[in-house]
């Protein structure tokens, strides 16, 4: 069984007991779910489950796919993604779960995966105090300097060029009160921030300027934040890079202890691709494709936003290996089957549900479709009614 959530608030409300039972490992699920307002290929939340276990799948286009749950459900979870034409390029989860899920995924789609990075989650129940008099709360006047320091932090930690990082700068005007700073001569020498989720609070963005390292600023600022969190009756925790022994040593001296681990997997796409074709009679069309070496095909429907209206169409989802089947051959069967000049249905099947459309992110499919439809319009001397759009979520019947 599985459940698709139309928005993140529904997901949180439906699973509040689970989310509260392991808040540290599920913190990202709560934070990201609050940003999801629809179900699409760019943002989706799914729960797969049976009588004894469950798995959460949460995807945001900017951050990749997060997994949490029982690895026994990996095969079924992959099947759910396949049937709804949902994809990803990276995964964040516990290493064993990620390996199991990707092994099942690659049985169908091929490709390969690697671990991009791994980190430990540490939590603190009791802190070893130190002198924190230099640590002060950030003021709104510090926003621009916090932005500059955060840019350096991300560049140093991730190596990103951050050409579009300025788009994130606006958030500091609302986020500055979560920062603690060490300031000398009007210059921020060190910073760190907290983020509260349920009954826990993470410490992140711990950064000391290059000219001030080795002076114990990281210890002071993390200790100060940790004390604040404990006084507010929340559980402090943080993430540490497994390959950074310095930060691991600092945090453990403060009182942090190992809680769990996460890994980010990078999935390299294979030659397996999909295309969704809206039409009148799915059954007859599927019969016409039986001579092509297509991996997988199911009938169902698509829902797309067009001219500010949601349009539901009878459709088929076709999965093919571009090394074995040319998408042009699939499309040529489609164009021979439909009447592209009929905008009110197809043959005896009438209504918008039976109108035609092509959904694909593949340039070759898009270029060929546009070329054929242009010829239909020129030589048929009538308007064609076959919109070409990006891939959408597929719903099987």
């Amino acid at each position: 069984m599985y459940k698709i959530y139309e928005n993140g608030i529904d997901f949180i409300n439906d699973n509040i007991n689970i989310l509260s039972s392991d808040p540290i490992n599920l913190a990202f699920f709560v934070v990201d779910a609050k940003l999801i307002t629809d179900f699409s290929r760019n943002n989706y939340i799914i729960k797969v489950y049976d009588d004894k276990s469950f798995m959460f799948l949460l995807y945001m286009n900017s951050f990749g796919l997060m997994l949490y749950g029982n690895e026994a459900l990996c095969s079924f979870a992959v099947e759910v993604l396949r049937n709804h034409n949902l994809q990803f390029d990276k995964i964040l989860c516990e290493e064993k779960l990620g390996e199991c899920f990707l092994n099942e995924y690659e049985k169908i789609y091929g490709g390969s995966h690697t671990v991009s990075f791994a980190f430990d989650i540490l939590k603190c129940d009791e802190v070893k105090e130190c002198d924190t008099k230099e640590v002060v709360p950030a003021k709104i006047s510090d926003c621009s300097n916090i932005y500059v320091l955060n840019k350096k932090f991300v560049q140093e930690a991730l190596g990103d060029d951050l050409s579009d990082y300025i788009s994130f700068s606006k958030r500091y005007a609302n986020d500055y009160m979560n920062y603690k700073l060490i300031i000398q001569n009007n210059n921020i020498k060190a910073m760190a921030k907290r983020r509260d989720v349920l009954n826990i609070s993470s410490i992140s963005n711990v950064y000391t300027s290059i000219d001030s390292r080795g002076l114990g600023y990281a210890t002071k600022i993390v200790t100060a934040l940790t004390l604040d969190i404990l006084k507010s009756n929340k559980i402090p925790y943080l993430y540490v890079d497994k390959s950074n022994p310095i930060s691991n040593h600092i945090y453990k001296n403060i009182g942090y202890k190992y809680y769990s681990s996460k890994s980010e997997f990078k999935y390299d796409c294979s030659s397996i691709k999909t295309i969704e074709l809206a039409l009148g009679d799915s059954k007859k069309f599927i019969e016409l494709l039986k001579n092509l070496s297509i991996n997988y095909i199911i009938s169902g429907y698509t829902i797309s936003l067009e001219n500010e209206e949601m349009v539901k169409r009878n459709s088929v989802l076709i999965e093919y290996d571009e090394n074995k089947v040319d998408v042009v051959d699939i499309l040529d069967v489609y164009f021979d089957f439909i009447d592209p000049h009929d905008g009110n249905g197809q043959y005896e099947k009438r209504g918008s549900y039976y109108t035609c459309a092509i959904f694909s992110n593949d340039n070759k499919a898009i270029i060929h479709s546009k070329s054929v439809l242009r010829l239909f319009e020129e030589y048929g001397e009538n308007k064609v009614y076959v919109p070409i759009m990006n891939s959408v979520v597929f719903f099987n019947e």
Side-chain angles (χ1 to χ4, degrees), residues 66-308:
M66 292 191 297
L67 304 176
Y68 179 88
N70 194 317
E71 61 192 64
L73 293 169
C74 284
S75 179
F76 180 57
V78 169
E79 181 184 341
V80 171
L81 293 187
R82 186 186 201 187
N83 287 340
H84 288 284
N85 197 27
L86 300 172
Q87 298 173 338
F88 59 88
D89 61 353
K90 56 185 177 182
I91 291 178
L92 180 65
C93 62
E94 183 267 332
E95 183 177 6
K96 187 177 180 182
L97 177 61
E99 289 288 352
C100 179
F101 180 86
L102 285 166
N103 286 337
E104 292 295 330
Y105 195 82
E106 288 164 11
K107 287 179 184 177
I108 296 173
Y109 292 101
S112 61
H113 66 272
T114 55
V115 175
S116 304
F117 63 86
F119 57 85
D120 288 337
I121 301 176
L122 309 181
K123 62 172 285 194
C124 183
D125 298 312
E126 186 176 354
V127 65
K128 179 181 178 182
E129 296 191 36
C130 67
D131 183 4
T132 60
K133 293 178 182 177
E134 294 176 274
V135 181
V136 297
K139 303 186 296 291
I140 193 167
S141 58
D142 296 315
C143 286
S144 60
N145 289 328
I146 291 174
Y147 163 70
V148 171
L149 222 59
N150 266 297
K151 184 174 181 180
K152 292 179 179 178
F153 163 71
V154 176
Q155 285 177 319
E156 192 171 315
L158 303 178
D160 293 345
D161 62 11
L162 298 178
S163 57
D164 63 344
Y165 192 77
I166 194 169
S167 65
F168 294 100
S169 63
K170 297 177 182 178
R171 72 184 180 201
Y172 296 113
N174 299 317
D175 202 28
Y176 73 90
M177 67 286 294
N178 295 318
Y179 280 82
K180 292 281 191 180
L181 310 173
I182 293 178
I183 302 174
Q184 290 184 354
N185 300 321
N186 295 319
N187 292 318
I188 299 176
K189 295 299 182 179
M191 69 172 187
K193 68 171 287 190
R194 65 181 284 182
R195 180 177 64 186
D196 296 344
V197 178
L198 299 176
N199 65 330
I200 60 176
S201 185
S202 66
I203 295 177
S204 62
N205 298 61
V206 181
Y207 185 77
T208 302
S209 59
I210 294 175
D211 62 349
S212 301
R213 293 177 184 175
L215 301 177
Y217 288 164
T219 296
K220 292 180 179 181
I221 208 163
V222 171
T223 298
L225 271 176
T226 303
L227 287 168
D228 285 350
I229 294 167
L230 289 171
K231 288 176 183 177
S232 64
N233 294 316
K234 293 183 180 291
I235 301 171
Y237 72 101
L238 44 75
Y239 304 95
V240 292
D241 186 342
K242 287 177 177 284
S243 63
N244 189 338
I246 296 175
S247 62
N248 277 269
H249 179 72
I250 290 172
Y251 300 140
K252 288 179 180 178
N253 279 347
I254 293 171
Y256 281 85
K257 297 179 181 180
Y258 175 83
Y259 182 78
S260 64
S261 297
K262 301 279 186 187
S263 297
E264 182 182 90
F265 296 85
K266 173 69 175 176
Y267 173 69
D268 294 320
C269 296
S270 66
S271 58
I272 305 296
K273 295 189 176 182
T274 62
I275 188 169
E276 296 153 303
L277 301 174
L279 71 176
D281 193 326
S282 301
K283 186 175 181 180
K284 288 182 179 179
F285 178 67
I286 290 173
E287 278 293 312
L288 295 174
L289 294 174
K290 64 182 181 181
N291 292 325
L292 298 179
S293 300
I294 289 171
N295 287 12
Y296 185 66
I297 182 167
I298 56 173
S299 60
Y301 61 90
T302 52
I303 300 176
S304 54
L305 179 61
E306 302 169 40
N307 299 320
E308 300 184 354

Side-chain angles (χ1 to χ4, degrees), residues 43-57:
N43 302 286
Y44 58 81
I45 311 176
I46 299 172
K47 178 182 180 179
V48 299
Y49 59 96
D50 57 25
D51 293 337
K52 298 180 180 180
S53 57
F54 71 93
M55 182 187 295
F56 294 149
L57 300 91

Side-chain angles (χ1 to χ4, degrees), residues 28-50:
F28 282 150
F29 280 84
V30 176
V31 172
D32 289 354
K34 291 179 179 179
L35 303 175
I36 294 180
T37 58
D38 65 350
F39 173 62
S40 68
R41 295 186 91 225
N42 293 325
N43 302 286
Y44 58 81
I45 311 176
I46 299 172
K47 178 182 180 179
V48 299
Y49 59 96
D50 57 25

